[in-house]
Amino acid sequence: MLRLVVRRLLQLIPTLLGLSVLLFLWLNRLPGGPASAILGERATEAEVARINRALGLDQPVYVQYGRFLKRIFELDLGTSVQTGQPVWDEFAVRFPATVELSLMAMAIAIAVGIPLGYLAAKRRGGWLDVAAVSGSLVGICIPVFFLALILKGIFAVNLGIFPSYGRFTTGIDATSVTGFAVLDGILTGEFDASWDAIMHLVLPAVTLASIPLAVIVRMTRASVLEVLGEDYVRTAESKGLQKRVVRARHVLRNAMLPVITAVGLLTGSLLSGAVLTESVFSFNGIGNFIRTAIDARDYPVLVGFIMFIAMVYVLINLLVDLAYSLIDPRVRVH
């Protein structure tokens, strides 16, 4: 297992280097250059020249790339134009909120999607199968921001069951330890704050889970249908094994490999694609921060975000590979 981890990590280095080259080239092809992107369209030539000197953009390209790569390896993502604070510090404050939201959304998608996809496959052609396929199609097609507004209007505004914005109710005195609101409430014994944080997570998490849920349902259904037709499943059933054993050892275990791939990719997309959801619910996560950075043309934040999300994707892919090897030991030899 250790050899597999080391091999995968070594394979990921060229990926990050390639991404850094593409990102660097993109930044240097911005209209007017990065300086104009920071200062805006009305910047004077003197201001542009000053920023170019400050950022080292008046140096040869290979020198610029070397400095760019050095800052990335040192985790120096620059300073935010909006706040004047280091980009890494801004991410460290806001990223736990997005992780908390994404994990809850993915937990909902997995807890509902895998059982529903399995039952739909077992009852192929029945009402549950039709409902699951139709519902997953709606979940994929409906825009996230539109679903967010519907859920917010019904369950927050009209019924008043859930809060409509933020991470905490005004007046809640929550102690921050890790930055994860639910976990902090448990660690400090402030269970009211923890419950309040959960209530604030429900609507945005359900909104964010809509597309992953639909994908997982369809992926699980298709994978289970394929496995059910395999000879080893029919052999296991003909031997008189209990249905519970056949489902756990032969059907679900073999059907989970493509589902794990989908879960890994979807988790990465949740972390990077929570912009609309966090904006609708005024959720103080990294997605909402990126939206304001785009509006303000905050170049260092956008660069840091792209590289940060790339590293997250890399780590998620590593976890997917490890999950593969645990479910199917044959993967370890490749």
Side-chain angles (χ1 to χ4, degrees), residues 139-153 203-204 206-211 273-281 291:
I140 292 175
C141 294
I142 188 170
V144 172
F145 72 90
F146 183 64
L147 178 61
L149 292 174
I150 291 176
L151 294 178
K152 185 175 181 179
L203 289 183
V206 171
T207 301
L208 201 58
S210 59
I211 294 179
V275 176
L276 292 175
T277 303
E278 291 186 0
S279 298
V280 172
F281 291 98
R291 180 190 62 80

XYZ file of all heavy atoms in Angstrom, residues 139-153 203-204 206-211 273-281 291:
243
model
N -32.756 16.440 -11.549
C -31.673 16.948 -10.708
C -30.490 17.443 -11.503
O -29.828 18.412 -11.116
N -30.196 16.792 -12.629
C -29.081 17.214 -13.462
C -29.424 18.472 -14.246
O -28.591 19.353 -14.452
C -28.678 16.075 -14.426
C -28.078 14.908 -13.635
C -27.697 16.563 -15.477
C -27.756 13.694 -14.472
N -30.684 18.563 -14.691
C -31.076 19.657 -15.583
C -31.377 20.968 -14.867
O -31.147 22.048 -15.417
C -32.305 19.242 -16.408
S -31.976 17.902 -17.576
N -31.906 20.903 -13.650
C -32.333 22.133 -12.982
C -31.116 22.948 -12.551
O -30.162 22.404 -11.970
C -33.221 21.809 -11.761
C -33.833 23.087 -11.177
C -32.443 21.067 -10.690
C -34.892 22.816 -10.129
N -31.063 24.241 -12.857
C -29.924 25.075 -12.446
C -29.815 25.162 -10.921
O -30.829 25.233 -10.216
C -30.255 26.449 -13.045
C -31.233 26.176 -14.145
C -32.020 24.983 -13.694
N -28.584 25.143 -10.431
C -28.357 25.135 -8.988
C -28.900 26.401 -8.338
O -29.540 26.339 -7.282
C -26.844 24.977 -8.700
C -26.571 25.156 -7.209
C -26.360 23.617 -9.158
N -28.657 27.557 -8.962
C -29.114 28.809 -8.349
C -30.635 28.868 -8.302
O -31.218 29.421 -7.364
C -28.544 30.014 -9.103
C -29.157 30.252 -10.456
C -30.263 31.068 -10.585
C -28.622 29.650 -11.583
C -30.828 31.298 -11.833
C -29.184 29.870 -12.832
C -30.290 30.688 -12.956
N -31.307 28.284 -9.309
C -32.769 28.275 -9.330
C -33.319 27.382 -8.216
O -34.251 27.758 -7.501
C -33.261 27.791 -10.696
C -34.760 27.808 -10.844
C -35.479 28.996 -10.798
C -35.468 26.617 -11.028
C -36.856 29.007 -10.937
C -36.844 26.616 -11.161
C -37.542 27.816 -11.117
N -32.717 26.206 -8.048
C -33.127 25.316 -6.959
C -32.873 25.976 -5.608
O -33.692 25.851 -4.686
C -32.346 24.004 -7.053
C -32.620 22.975 -5.952
C -34.089 22.555 -5.953
C -31.717 21.756 -6.115
N -31.759 26.692 -5.486
C -31.446 27.376 -4.226
C -32.514 28.408 -3.891
O -32.964 28.510 -2.735
C -30.072 28.038 -4.321
N -32.942 29.164 -4.884
C -33.968 30.179 -4.649
C -35.305 29.542 -4.286
O -36.033 30.052 -3.426
C -34.118 31.056 -5.889
C -32.928 31.970 -6.217
C -33.134 32.679 -7.548
C -32.711 32.986 -5.102
N -35.640 28.412 -4.917
C -36.898 27.720 -4.602
C -36.882 27.204 -3.163
O -37.827 27.430 -2.388
C -37.130 26.555 -5.584
C -37.428 27.092 -6.980
C -38.280 25.672 -5.103
C -37.583 25.997 -8.023
N -35.800 26.501 -2.784
C -35.696 25.968 -1.424
C -35.680 27.089 -0.390
O -36.304 26.970 0.680
C -34.430 25.121 -1.294
C -34.382 23.829 -2.119
C -33.048 23.115 -1.929
C -35.531 22.900 -1.737
N -34.978 28.151 -0.701
C -34.910 29.286 0.226
C -36.284 29.920 0.393
O -36.694 30.259 1.520
C -33.902 30.305 -0.303
C -33.644 31.475 0.630
C -32.546 32.368 0.065
C -32.253 33.539 0.981
N -31.154 34.400 0.440
N -37.010 30.088 -0.712
C -38.337 30.705 -0.639
C -39.342 29.859 0.119
O -40.142 30.381 0.911
N -30.112 23.728 3.904
C -30.589 24.188 2.595
C -29.462 24.309 1.562
O -29.609 23.798 0.438
C -31.332 25.516 2.746
C -32.699 25.446 3.444
C -33.361 26.823 3.450
C -33.605 24.435 2.768
N -28.345 24.966 1.887
C -27.276 24.998 0.877
C -26.706 23.623 0.562
O -26.329 23.358 -0.582
C -26.218 25.917 1.503
C -26.560 26.026 2.943
C -28.028 25.815 3.052
N -28.361 20.674 0.629
C -29.321 19.982 -0.239
C -29.236 20.540 -1.660
O -29.272 19.791 -2.644
C -30.754 20.128 0.317
C -31.772 19.607 -0.687
C -30.883 19.366 1.627
N -29.102 21.854 -1.771
C -28.959 22.474 -3.091
C -27.713 21.965 -3.797
O -27.739 21.561 -4.962
C -28.876 24.003 -2.957
O -30.060 24.492 -2.327
C -28.707 24.656 -4.304
N -26.602 21.972 -3.083
C -25.329 21.557 -3.673
C -25.306 20.062 -3.985
O -24.581 19.621 -4.882
C -24.185 21.912 -2.712
C -22.776 22.041 -3.291
C -22.729 23.087 -4.387
C -21.779 22.379 -2.188
N -26.110 19.281 -3.252
C -26.125 17.825 -3.444
C -26.973 17.395 -4.631
O -26.933 16.219 -5.018
C -26.642 17.147 -2.173
N -27.745 18.291 -5.222
C -28.711 17.886 -6.244
C -28.051 17.216 -7.443
O -28.461 16.126 -7.870
C -29.531 19.102 -6.697
O -28.675 20.114 -7.223
N -27.018 17.829 -8.003
C -26.355 17.249 -9.173
C -25.555 15.994 -8.812
O -25.689 14.962 -9.495
C -25.481 18.304 -9.872
C -26.367 19.402 -10.467
C -24.624 17.660 -10.955
C -25.599 20.513 -11.159
N -16.984 24.474 -7.051
C -18.165 25.004 -7.717
C -19.273 25.465 -6.799
O -20.439 25.514 -7.206
N -18.930 25.802 -5.565
C -19.949 26.231 -4.605
C -20.218 27.732 -4.684
O -20.841 28.286 -3.778
C -19.509 25.858 -3.181
N -19.770 28.373 -5.752
C -19.869 29.829 -5.844
C -21.327 30.283 -5.826
O -21.715 31.160 -5.037
C -19.171 30.333 -7.119
C -19.356 31.838 -7.259
C -17.691 29.976 -7.089
N -22.164 29.704 -6.699
C -23.556 30.123 -6.791
C -24.319 29.818 -5.506
O -25.075 30.657 -5.003
C -24.236 29.445 -7.980
C -23.745 29.888 -9.366
C -24.413 29.049 -10.439
C -24.023 31.359 -9.585
N -24.136 28.624 -4.967
C -24.850 28.230 -3.752
C -24.490 29.142 -2.589
O -25.365 29.629 -1.863
C -24.532 26.770 -3.390
O -24.877 25.927 -4.487
C -25.309 26.342 -2.158
N -23.200 29.401 -2.389
C -22.776 30.252 -1.281
C -23.236 31.689 -1.481
O -23.520 32.390 -0.507
C -21.252 30.194 -1.145
C -20.742 28.849 -0.661
C -19.250 28.843 -0.396
O -18.607 29.887 -0.583
O -18.733 27.792 0.009
N -23.324 32.117 -2.727
C -23.781 33.489 -2.986
C -25.253 33.657 -2.642
O -25.649 34.642 -2.020
C -23.549 33.845 -4.459
O -22.176 33.795 -4.782
N -26.090 32.684 -3.021
C -27.527 32.773 -2.752
C -27.800 32.769 -1.258
O -28.655 33.519 -0.761
C -28.282 31.613 -3.439
C -29.744 31.592 -3.005
C -28.195 31.748 -4.956
N -27.060 31.929 -0.516
C -27.313 31.798 0.921
C -26.371 32.659 1.763
O -26.335 32.509 2.990
C -27.185 30.331 1.348
C -28.267 29.445 0.812
C -28.062 28.676 -0.315
C -29.511 29.398 1.434
C -29.061 27.860 -0.818
C -30.520 28.581 0.939
C -30.299 27.815 -0.186
N -16.288 34.766 -5.784
C -17.224 35.595 -6.563
C -16.863 37.075 -6.432
O -16.819 37.809 -7.425
C -18.654 35.365 -6.094
C -19.696 36.177 -6.854
C -21.051 36.083 -6.198
N -21.056 36.622 -4.854
C -21.123 37.911 -4.566
N -21.178 38.815 -5.543
N -21.119 38.319 -3.309
